[in-house]
Amino acid sequence: MTRPEKHSLTLKGHRTSVSLEPEFWDAFREIAAERGKALNALAAEIDTDRGIEMGLASAIRLFVLRHYRSAADRR
């Protein structure tokens, strides 16, 4: 198992740090590229939708999981 890596993101003009495992960072970057969006822009969308009970790192992990699950369902 790999250890989470901390990266800085800018959300609505504010810097924040998010810790994710390298595999999640790679997948998150791939999804952003597929959608033609900057990583910060996609993270800001997730941040807006996540609500206050969930941390941003968890919200990103679930976003990645749901993306790949829905892709598998389409096959």
Side-chain angles (χ1 to χ4, degrees):
M1 180 174 237
T2 57
R3 297 182 65 108
E5 296 176 351
K6 188 179 284 193
H7 291 262
S8 293
L9 296 171
T10 302
L11 308 176
K12 300 175 190 163
H14 300 283
R15 299 282 285 172
T16 189
S17 293
V18 177
S19 293
L20 296 171
E21 294 76 10
E23 295 85 355
F24 277 101
W25 280 118
D26 291 343
F28 190 39
R29 285 185 193 99
E30 288 173 12
I31 295 166
E34 285 174 16
R35 295 180 178 205
K37 294 187 178 195
L39 198 63
N40 287 328
L42 186 54
E45 288 178 19
I46 294 167
D47 184 48
T48 298
D49 294 341
R50 72 182 164 105
I52 60 172
E53 284 83 34
M54 182 181 299
L56 182 56
S58 294
I60 291 172
R61 284 185 190 95
L62 288 174
F63 173 83
V64 168
L65 177 65
R66 290 176 184 136
H67 173 84
Y68 286 108
R69 276 192 174 164
S70 68
D73 289 345
R74 289 190 298 265
R75 288 186 229 164

